[in-house]
PDB file of all heavy atoms in Angstrom:
ATOM      1  N   LEU S   1      -8.688   9.444  -7.252  1.00 90.00           N
ATOM      2  CA  LEU S   1      -9.442   9.185  -8.445  1.00 90.00           C
ATOM      3  C   LEU S   1      -9.772   7.687  -8.561  1.00 90.00           C
ATOM      4  O   LEU S   1      -8.942   6.899  -8.233  1.00 90.00           O
ATOM      5  CB  LEU S   1      -8.491   9.516  -9.619  1.00 90.00           C
ATOM      6  CG  LEU S   1      -8.225  11.021  -9.828  1.00 90.00           C
ATOM      7  CD1 LEU S   1      -7.213  11.267 -10.943  1.00 90.00           C
ATOM      8  CD2 LEU S   1      -9.555  11.798 -10.093  1.00 90.00           C
ATOM      9  N   PRO S   2     -10.998   7.409  -9.017  1.00 86.00           N
ATOM     10  CA  PRO S   2     -11.218   5.952  -9.092  1.00 86.00           C
ATOM     11  C   PRO S   2     -10.505   5.326 -10.277  1.00 86.00           C
ATOM     12  O   PRO S   2     -10.382   5.955 -11.340  1.00 86.00           O
ATOM     13  CB  PRO S   2     -12.743   5.955  -9.380  1.00 86.00           C
ATOM     14  CG  PRO S   2     -13.133   7.275  -9.848  1.00 86.00           C
ATOM     15  CD  PRO S   2     -12.070   8.186  -9.265  1.00 86.00           C
ATOM     16  N   LEU S   3      -9.922   4.205 -10.047  1.00 85.00           N
ATOM     17  CA  LEU S   3      -9.182   3.528 -11.022  1.00 85.00           C
ATOM     18  C   LEU S   3      -9.853   2.043 -11.249  1.00 85.00           C
ATOM     19  O   LEU S   3     -10.220   1.513 -10.186  1.00 85.00           O
ATOM     20  CB  LEU S   3      -7.757   3.330 -10.656  1.00 85.00           C
ATOM     21  CG  LEU S   3      -6.840   4.548 -10.428  1.00 85.00           C
ATOM     22  CD1 LEU S   3      -5.443   4.257 -10.007  1.00 85.00           C
ATOM     23  CD2 LEU S   3      -6.835   5.301 -11.769  1.00 85.00           C
ATOM     24  N   PRO S   4      -9.910   1.640 -12.412  1.00 78.00           N
ATOM     25  CA  PRO S   4     -10.531   0.308 -12.689  1.00 78.00           C
ATOM     26  C   PRO S   4      -9.609  -0.814 -12.235  1.00 78.00           C
ATOM     27  O   PRO S   4      -8.376  -0.737 -12.384  1.00 78.00           O
ATOM     28  CB  PRO S   4     -10.750   0.268 -14.160  1.00 78.00           C
ATOM     29  CG  PRO S   4      -9.733   1.210 -14.744  1.00 78.00           C
ATOM     30  CD  PRO S   4      -9.486   2.263 -13.689  1.00 78.00           C
ATOM     31  N   GLY S   5     -10.221  -1.866 -11.706  1.00 72.00           N
ATOM     32  CA  GLY S   5      -9.658  -3.222 -11.394  1.00 72.00           C
ATOM     33  C   GLY S   5      -8.205  -3.219 -11.039  1.00 72.00           C
ATOM     34  O   GLY S   5      -7.754  -2.794  -9.945  1.00 72.00           O
ATOM     35  N   GLY S   6      -7.345  -3.705 -11.950  1.00 86.00           N
ATOM     36  CA  GLY S   6      -5.909  -3.913 -11.683  1.00 86.00           C
ATOM     37  C   GLY S   6      -5.127  -2.639 -11.376  1.00 86.00           C
ATOM     38  O   GLY S   6      -4.271  -2.623 -10.545  1.00 86.00           O
ATOM     39  N   PHE S   7      -5.543  -1.513 -11.918  1.00 92.00           N
ATOM     40  CA  PHE S   7      -4.961  -0.233 -11.722  1.00 92.00           C
ATOM     41  C   PHE S   7      -5.170   0.226 -10.299  1.00 92.00           C
ATOM     42  O   PHE S   7      -4.306   0.675  -9.542  1.00 92.00           O
ATOM     43  CB  PHE S   7      -5.407   0.811 -12.660  1.00 92.00           C
ATOM     44  CG  PHE S   7      -5.013   0.403 -14.145  1.00 92.00           C
ATOM     45  CD1 PHE S   7      -6.013   0.119 -14.983  1.00 92.00           C
ATOM     46  CD2 PHE S   7      -3.785   0.622 -14.514  1.00 92.00           C
ATOM     47  CE1 PHE S   7      -5.729  -0.174 -16.364  1.00 92.00           C
ATOM     48  CE2 PHE S   7      -3.330   0.337 -15.857  1.00 92.00           C
ATOM     49  CZ  PHE S   7      -4.327  -0.120 -16.726  1.00 92.00           C
ATOM     50  N   GLY S   8      -6.369   0.043  -9.817  1.00 90.00           N
ATOM     51  CA  GLY S   8      -6.706   0.418  -8.480  1.00 90.00           C
ATOM     52  C   GLY S   8      -6.007  -0.533  -7.480  1.00 90.00           C
ATOM     53  O   GLY S   8      -5.598  -0.020  -6.508  1.00 90.00           O
ATOM     54  N   MET S   9      -6.096  -1.771  -7.783  1.00 91.00           N
ATOM     55  CA  MET S   9      -5.347  -2.687  -6.867  1.00 91.00           C
ATOM     56  C   MET S   9      -3.867  -2.369  -6.836  1.00 91.00           C
ATOM     57  O   MET S   9      -3.276  -2.448  -5.686  1.00 91.00           O
ATOM     58  CB  MET S   9      -5.476  -4.162  -7.462  1.00 91.00           C
ATOM     59  CG  MET S   9      -4.972  -5.201  -6.542  1.00 91.00           C
ATOM     60  SD  MET S   9      -5.870  -5.399  -5.086  1.00 91.00           S
ATOM     61  CE  MET S   9      -5.141  -6.923  -4.505  1.00 91.00           C
ATOM     62  N   ARG S  10      -3.251  -2.081  -7.903  1.00 95.00           N
ATOM     63  CA  ARG S  10      -1.764  -1.734  -7.907  1.00 95.00           C
ATOM     64  C   ARG S  10      -1.597  -0.482  -7.117  1.00 95.00           C
ATOM     65  O   ARG S  10      -0.647  -0.402  -6.255  1.00 95.00           O
ATOM     66  CB  ARG S  10      -1.348  -1.487  -9.379  1.00 95.00           C
ATOM     67  CG  ARG S  10       0.110  -1.013  -9.521  1.00 95.00           C
ATOM     68  CD  ARG S  10       1.175  -1.925  -8.973  1.00 95.00           C
ATOM     69  NE  ARG S  10       0.992  -3.337  -9.089  1.00 95.00           N
ATOM     70  CZ  ARG S  10       1.478  -4.158  -8.104  1.00 95.00           C
ATOM     71  NH1 ARG S  10       2.096  -3.786  -7.130  1.00 95.00           N
ATOM     72  NH2 ARG S  10       1.260  -5.421  -8.218  1.00 95.00           N
ATOM     73  N   ARG S  11      -2.382   0.534  -7.147  1.00 95.00           N
ATOM     74  CA  ARG S  11      -2.268   1.726  -6.372  1.00 95.00           C
ATOM     75  C   ARG S  11      -2.363   1.425  -4.853  1.00 95.00           C
ATOM     76  O   ARG S  11      -1.465   1.864  -4.104  1.00 95.00           O
ATOM     77  CB  ARG S  11      -3.237   2.850  -6.700  1.00 95.00           C
ATOM     78  CG  ARG S  11      -3.163   4.033  -5.917  1.00 95.00           C
ATOM     79  CD  ARG S  11      -4.022   5.188  -6.383  1.00 95.00           C
ATOM     80  NE  ARG S  11      -5.458   4.800  -6.124  1.00 95.00           N
ATOM     81  CZ  ARG S  11      -6.491   5.509  -6.659  1.00 95.00           C
ATOM     82  NH1 ARG S  11      -6.261   6.560  -7.426  1.00 95.00           N
ATOM     83  NH2 ARG S  11      -7.602   5.054  -6.508  1.00 95.00           N
ATOM     84  N   ALA S  12      -3.308   0.533  -4.527  1.00 94.00           N
ATOM     85  CA  ALA S  12      -3.569   0.145  -3.092  1.00 94.00           C
ATOM     86  C   ALA S  12      -2.413  -0.517  -2.607  1.00 94.00           C
ATOM     87  O   ALA S  12      -1.905  -0.375  -1.455  1.00 94.00           O
ATOM     88  CB  ALA S  12      -4.777  -0.602  -3.002  1.00 94.00           C
ATOM     89  N   LEU S  13      -1.873  -1.564  -3.333  1.00 96.00           N
ATOM     90  CA  LEU S  13      -0.721  -2.342  -2.949  1.00 96.00           C
ATOM     91  C   LEU S  13       0.527  -1.650  -2.808  1.00 96.00           C
ATOM     92  O   LEU S  13       1.279  -1.745  -1.902  1.00 96.00           O
ATOM     93  CB  LEU S  13      -0.531  -3.568  -3.888  1.00 96.00           C
ATOM     94  CG  LEU S  13      -1.543  -4.645  -3.941  1.00 96.00           C
ATOM     95  CD1 LEU S  13      -1.275  -5.629  -5.037  1.00 96.00           C
ATOM     96  CD2 LEU S  13      -1.757  -5.285  -2.567  1.00 96.00           C
ATOM     97  N   THR S  14       0.720  -0.592  -3.705  1.00 97.00           N
ATOM     98  CA  THR S  14       1.891   0.246  -3.603  1.00 97.00           C
ATOM     99  C   THR S  14       1.781   1.089  -2.317  1.00 97.00           C
ATOM    100  O   THR S  14       2.758   1.300  -1.597  1.00 97.00           O
ATOM    101  CB  THR S  14       1.950   1.289  -4.792  1.00 97.00           C
ATOM    102  OG1 THR S  14       2.143   0.407  -6.022  1.00 97.00           O
ATOM    103  CG2 THR S  14       3.079   2.190  -4.745  1.00 97.00           C
ATOM    104  N   ALA S  15       0.559   1.716  -2.001  1.00 97.00           N
ATOM    105  CA  ALA S  15       0.499   2.423  -0.742  1.00 97.00           C
ATOM    106  C   ALA S  15       0.677   1.560   0.456  1.00 97.00           C
ATOM    107  O   ALA S  15       1.292   1.990   1.403  1.00 97.00           O
ATOM    108  CB  ALA S  15      -0.974   3.006  -0.695  1.00 97.00           C
ATOM    109  N   MET S  16       0.269   0.392   0.484  1.00 97.00           N
ATOM    110  CA  MET S  16       0.463  -0.625   1.616  1.00 97.00           C
ATOM    111  C   MET S  16       1.881  -1.015   1.732  1.00 97.00           C
ATOM    112  O   MET S  16       2.383  -1.171   2.821  1.00 97.00           O
ATOM    113  CB  MET S  16      -0.557  -1.782   1.578  1.00 97.00           C
ATOM    114  CG  MET S  16      -1.983  -1.375   1.937  1.00 97.00           C
ATOM    115  SD  MET S  16      -3.011  -2.661   2.144  1.00 97.00           S
ATOM    116  CE  MET S  16      -3.313  -3.264   0.363  1.00 97.00           C
ATOM    117  N   ASP S  17       2.528  -1.108   0.536  1.00 97.00           N
ATOM    118  CA  ASP S  17       4.031  -1.353   0.638  1.00 97.00           C
ATOM    119  C   ASP S  17       4.729  -0.241   1.293  1.00 97.00           C
ATOM    120  O   ASP S  17       5.581  -0.441   2.061  1.00 97.00           O
ATOM    121  CB  ASP S  17       4.581  -1.616  -0.761  1.00 97.00           C
ATOM    122  CG  ASP S  17       4.309  -3.041  -1.282  1.00 97.00           C
ATOM    123  OD1 ASP S  17       4.054  -3.935  -0.440  1.00 97.00           O
ATOM    124  OD2 ASP S  17       4.407  -3.248  -2.501  1.00 97.00           O
ATOM    125  N   ARG S  18       4.350   1.015   0.954  1.00 97.00           N
ATOM    126  CA  ARG S  18       4.962   2.224   1.543  1.00 97.00           C
ATOM    127  C   ARG S  18       4.646   2.333   3.000  1.00 97.00           C
ATOM    128  O   ARG S  18       5.425   2.696   3.752  1.00 97.00           O
ATOM    129  CB  ARG S  18       4.373   3.404   0.724  1.00 97.00           C
ATOM    130  CG  ARG S  18       5.052   3.495  -0.654  1.00 97.00           C
ATOM    131  CD  ARG S  18       4.629   4.700  -1.428  1.00 97.00           C
ATOM    132  NE  ARG S  18       4.832   5.961  -0.705  1.00 97.00           N
ATOM    133  CZ  ARG S  18       4.155   7.063  -0.858  1.00 97.00           C
ATOM    134  NH1 ARG S  18       3.036   7.096  -1.582  1.00 97.00           N
ATOM    135  NH2 ARG S  18       4.540   8.095  -0.100  1.00 97.00           N
ATOM    136  N   LEU S  19       3.399   1.966   3.326  1.00 97.00           N
ATOM    137  CA  LEU S  19       3.027   1.996   4.787  1.00 97.00           C
ATOM    138  C   LEU S  19       4.011   0.907   5.552  1.00 97.00           C
ATOM    139  O   LEU S  19       4.507   1.209   6.626  1.00 97.00           O
ATOM    140  CB  LEU S  19       1.546   1.425   4.945  1.00 97.00           C
ATOM    141  CG  LEU S  19       1.094   1.023   6.318  1.00 97.00           C
ATOM    142  CD1 LEU S  19       1.215   2.106   7.336  1.00 97.00           C
ATOM    143  CD2 LEU S  19      -0.293   0.441   6.302  1.00 97.00           C
ATOM    144  N   ALA S  20       4.061  -0.254   4.943  1.00 97.00           N
ATOM    145  CA  ALA S  20       5.053  -1.367   5.567  1.00 97.00           C
ATOM    146  C   ALA S  20       6.373  -0.809   5.850  1.00 97.00           C
ATOM    147  O   ALA S  20       7.106  -1.048   6.844  1.00 97.00           O
ATOM    148  CB  ALA S  20       4.961  -2.581   4.810  1.00 97.00           C
ATOM    149  N   SER S  21       6.915  -0.021   4.902  1.00 96.00           N
ATOM    150  CA  SER S  21       8.244   0.501   5.031  1.00 96.00           C
ATOM    151  C   SER S  21       8.435   1.624   6.116  1.00 96.00           C
ATOM    152  O   SER S  21       9.455   1.875   6.608  1.00 96.00           O
ATOM    153  CB  SER S  21       8.823   1.011   3.625  1.00 96.00           C
ATOM    154  OG  SER S  21       8.067   2.176   3.261  1.00 96.00           O
ATOM    155  N   ARG S  22       7.192   2.281   6.386  1.00 96.00           N
ATOM    156  CA  ARG S  22       7.267   3.308   7.394  1.00 96.00           C
ATOM    157  C   ARG S  22       6.959   2.839   8.798  1.00 96.00           C
ATOM    158  O   ARG S  22       7.409   3.450   9.748  1.00 96.00           O
ATOM    159  CB  ARG S  22       6.253   4.421   7.042  1.00 96.00           C
ATOM    160  CG  ARG S  22       6.654   5.213   5.869  1.00 96.00           C
ATOM    161  CD  ARG S  22       5.760   6.303   5.493  1.00 96.00           C
ATOM    162  NE  ARG S  22       5.769   7.387   6.569  1.00 96.00           N
ATOM    163  CZ  ARG S  22       5.437   8.661   6.269  1.00 96.00           C
ATOM    164  NH1 ARG S  22       4.849   8.945   5.034  1.00 96.00           N
ATOM    165  NH2 ARG S  22       5.471   9.519   7.182  1.00 96.00           N
ATOM    166  N   LEU S  23       6.291   1.713   8.949  1.00 96.00           N
ATOM    167  CA  LEU S  23       6.035   1.140  10.214  1.00 96.00           C
ATOM    168  C   LEU S  23       7.327   0.710  11.041  1.00 96.00           C
ATOM    169  O   LEU S  23       8.202   0.143  10.437  1.00 96.00           O
ATOM    170  CB  LEU S  23       5.043  -0.077  10.138  1.00 96.00           C
ATOM    171  CG  LEU S  23       3.588   0.197   9.842  1.00 96.00           C
ATOM    172  CD1 LEU S  23       2.816  -1.036   9.436  1.00 96.00           C
ATOM    173  CD2 LEU S  23       2.928   1.128  10.856  1.00 96.00           C
ATOM    174  N   PRO S  24       7.330   0.955  12.368  1.00 94.00           N
ATOM    175  CA  PRO S  24       8.473   0.382  13.085  1.00 94.00           C
ATOM    176  C   PRO S  24       8.693  -1.093  12.852  1.00 94.00           C
ATOM    177  O   PRO S  24       7.671  -1.843  12.778  1.00 94.00           O
ATOM    178  CB  PRO S  24       8.257   0.913  14.526  1.00 94.00           C
ATOM    179  CG  PRO S  24       6.896   1.458  14.527  1.00 94.00           C
ATOM    180  CD  PRO S  24       6.335   1.570  13.129  1.00 94.00           C
ATOM    181  N   PRO S  25       9.905  -1.529  12.763  1.00 93.00           N
ATOM    182  CA  PRO S  25      10.117  -2.987  12.670  1.00 93.00           C
ATOM    183  C   PRO S  25       9.945  -3.748  13.920  1.00 93.00           C
ATOM    184  O   PRO S  25      10.764  -4.624  14.280  1.00 93.00           O
ATOM    185  CB  PRO S  25      11.456  -3.135  12.091  1.00 93.00           C
ATOM    186  CG  PRO S  25      12.225  -1.932  12.637  1.00 93.00           C
ATOM    187  CD  PRO S  25      11.134  -0.936  12.701  1.00 93.00           C
ATOM    188  N   SER S  26       8.857  -3.498  14.564  1.00 91.00           N
ATOM    189  CA  SER S  26       8.536  -4.338  15.854  1.00 91.00           C
ATOM    190  C   SER S  26       6.959  -4.264  15.967  1.00 91.00           C
ATOM    191  O   SER S  26       6.296  -3.612  15.274  1.00 91.00           O
ATOM    192  CB  SER S  26       9.155  -3.505  17.002  1.00 91.00           C
ATOM    193  OG  SER S  26       8.724  -2.147  17.080  1.00 91.00           O
ATOM    194  N   GLY S  27       6.589  -5.110  16.959  1.00 91.00           N
ATOM    195  CA  GLY S  27       5.109  -5.205  17.149  1.00 91.00           C
ATOM    196  C   GLY S  27       4.613  -6.617  16.697  1.00 91.00           C
ATOM    197  O   GLY S  27       5.299  -7.497  16.285  1.00 91.00           O
ATOM    198  N   ASN S  28       3.269  -6.599  16.801  1.00 94.00           N
ATOM    199  CA  ASN S  28       2.599  -7.928  16.472  1.00 94.00           C
ATOM    200  C   ASN S  28       1.963  -7.910  15.037  1.00 94.00           C
ATOM    201  O   ASN S  28       1.600  -6.741  14.554  1.00 94.00           O
ATOM    202  CB  ASN S  28       1.496  -8.120  17.496  1.00 94.00           C
ATOM    203  CG  ASN S  28       1.997  -8.298  18.916  1.00 94.00           C
ATOM    204  OD1 ASN S  28       3.042  -8.900  19.130  1.00 94.00           O
ATOM    205  ND2 ASN S  28       1.348  -7.713  19.803  1.00 94.00           N
ATOM    206  N   ASP S  29       1.799  -8.940  14.454  1.00 96.00           N
ATOM    207  CA  ASP S  29       1.075  -9.120  13.140  1.00 96.00           C
ATOM    208  C   ASP S  29      -0.279  -8.555  13.335  1.00 96.00           C
ATOM    209  O   ASP S  29      -0.923  -8.544  14.436  1.00 96.00           O
ATOM    210  CB  ASP S  29       1.076 -10.552  12.688  1.00 96.00           C
ATOM    211  CG  ASP S  29       2.397 -11.181  12.550  1.00 96.00           C
ATOM    212  OD1 ASP S  29       3.342 -10.439  12.476  1.00 96.00           O
ATOM    213  OD2 ASP S  29       2.403 -12.335  12.344  1.00 96.00           O
TER     214      ASP S  29
END
């Protein structure tokens, strides 16, 4: 669902935080 401004950004950042927690703790930036 499209979310305006800050709400959309918050959803995206939360998803990327969850991605970071699932990625193996190794590799390159």
Side-chain angles (χ1 to χ4, degrees):
L1 293 173
L3 296 175
F7 295 108
M9 182 71 164
R10 176 57 35 212
R11 179 176 63 194
L13 292 176
T14 299
M16 287 190 285
D17 282 338
R18 290 179 57 210
L19 165 64
S21 71
R22 288 184 73 158
L23 288 172
S26 61
N28 298 316
D29 298 349

